[in-house]
Every structure is written in C-alpha cells, then in structure tokens.
Amino acid sequence: MSVVRPPQRDENPAGIDLPLEPLPGHTSRGRLERVLRRGEFAVTTELNPPDSADPEDVYNRAAIFDGWVDGINAVDASGANCHMSSVGICALLTRMGYAPIMQIACRDKNRIAIQGDVLGGAAMGVANILCLTGDGVQAGDQPGAKPVFDLDCMSLLETVRVMRDNGKFLSGRKLTTPPQLFLGAAINPFAPPYDFRPLRLGKKIAAGAQFVQSQYCFDVPMFRTYMERVRDLGYTEKCFILCGVGPLASAKTAKWIRSNVPGIHIPDAVIKRLEGAQDQKQEGKRICIDIINEVKEIAGVSGVHVMAYRQEEYVAEIVDESGVLKGRKPWKREIRADDVLVAERLDRILHDNITETQVDMVKEAH
C-alpha cells in the first residue's frame, strides 16, 4: 500500500515542475520571492555550468544543494567563457522542480534575442531573472568574439519590467501573456567609487530590481558601512539584499583572485589568517561561516548568496554550520515512485543485450 505524503511547503500539489499559486503582491509564482516576502533569511547559490551536453552533469551538480538553498543561479557565460547556456540549465532544473535564477548577460545577445529568452524562460517555469551587463569578451578564452551590449543591466531591468507589468515588447507590441517574474541585479559595495555604490543600487531599484546579490564579501566593516548608507536612503524597504559569500581554497588562491579578478576585495587580515592555518581549505570554509554569522546580523540583509566555485560540496556544510536557516528546511526534491520506474525502464533499454532472435525479428520486420 503506497503512503500518500502531504505536499512540501511551497510546492504545487499538481506537480513539482508547475508554478505555485499566485499570491497578492507577488510578481512571480516562485519560491524565492515567497521566502523573502515572508521575512525568512534566504540562501541562494550558483551552479557551475558544465562544458557538456549531458543533462546528468547539471542534475548531479544541483543535487548537492538539495534541501539547503532557496534558489540556484544558472550562470550565463560568466567571465566571457562559454559553457552550457543559462536557458538550457533552467530548462533542466525547472522540469525537476528546482528554483533557478536565470542570469542574462547583455554581452552576447541583442534586445530581440533577450526578450525571446525572457518569454521562453518564463514559459519553462523560470520565476527569477538576474539582469547583468556581463564581462567584456577580452576577459574570456575567445577574445575574438563580437560583443553585443545592445542593452546594459539597467535597460535590461527596464525591458523585463515593461514586459511583465505593461505586457509589451520594447517595440510597443502587446504580449498575449506577460511573464510573471521576480527581478534581480548584482551589486558590488567593494569597488570604487564607494560613495556611488548605494546610489547605483537606487538606480537599479528604479529600473525594476526587487532583489540583489552582492559580489563576494570578505570585508564585513566595509559592507556594514555600505548597508548603513543603503538603509538611510530607504532602499532596504524596496529591495531584498543578499550578501555574496564564499570559501577561499588557500592563501595562494586568495592572492591570485585579489590581483587578477577585478572587483573582488580581500583584506590582508583574511590572507594572513589563511596562511597561519594548518588546513587552509578548512580555514577558508570557516572564514566564510564567520562572515555569514556577522552579515546576517546587519539590519537590511535579507539573505546570503553562497558562491563556492569548485567547492560546491561545502555549500551544505557552510549553510548548516552557520545556522543561518534557524531550523527552516528549504525545498528538497524527493525520490518518487515514478522516478524509480523511469530509471529502471531506461536501464533496461540501455543495458539489455540484444539477442540473435531479436536481431532476426528486426530483419524480418524490414
């Protein structure tokens, strides 16, 4: 006799791949917006996109985050390096019930292609879009590529907001069904000019940003100063701010990032702490947890965005040991009876030996 389980929180009982029922005051039908509007401390992360056409490479990477995060960023060729597309990753994640945050970088597509991707993503069940200008092509491994930059992050936010709220393309042509989306952007409180950074957040909010994810935070006092100014301007009442955090693998890695990756600020104190540790990788994880425990107490911080490039296995440990969820259990994909049946059927198709009789039957049929 099969046991009927009640649906998980924030899951459509008609199917995990289906959007949630609409709620008043919400612009999307996704879990991330619900978590934030309930006042719960949200956790998001990034899926390292594969250089592969195998869907299992995406599913295996997503499974690491099961039950620990409220949204997974589908990265759009970050650093101007080509990987599986953000749209493709979202197509795979939504069918399995995950809550992807579809990144759109303006570097590679014009407004026609971008608006099409917005509609396609929404049709697949994408509820969250992160609008980015994108790194220049010279930053990647194909510097001869032609950059587009028809839009930037501001005009992209405005474009998607108009599609959602006014039901129109940029041309003015009406949409049959507008997309229901929660709009996000990136912020970097750690890059000069520092005084302008809070004002730039205001411009992104005015363009349509409802949530933002920050660059890596390794300098909590600098982030605290930024948040003080943001609160004074009233922006925390208009936008959910997620602080970017992540583990450093070693002091050597930290020095390389500081010297070679624009926009990432790592204080000397962090590097000295890594250098003084017997196990630098574990210390890097500990530093990340300590930073989370500090930033979660800053007024106006609504969550953290955990970026653990090539250390994705640490995300669950970091979230768990930080206690940031306070006992809350984010959505987790459960194994279901139909999953087992499908897996067994595929296994038979792929691995059963074809007998001589079967071969003869095929020949006779033709």
Side-chain angles (χ1 to χ4, degrees), residues 329-360:
K329 297 292 184 182
W331 183 88
K332 180 178 181 179
R333 184 173 187 275
E334 297 178 351
I335 301 299
R336 298 161 187 254
D338 56 343
D339 291 340
V340 176
L341 293 174
V342 170
E344 289 176 351
R345 176 63 178 153
L346 286 172
D347 187 65
R348 287 198 299 271
I349 292 172
L350 294 172
H351 298 104
D352 281 0
N353 291 324
I354 299 177
T355 64
E356 189 67 31
T357 304
Q358 289 172 316
V359 172
D360 291 340

Side-chain angles (χ1 to χ4, degrees), residues 43 68-69 292 306 314-325:
V43 179
W68 296 105
V69 303
I292 291 176
V306 186
Y314 276 164
V315 170
E317 294 179 28
I318 289 169
V319 175
D320 185 31
E321 293 177 28
S322 70
V324 74
L325 292 174

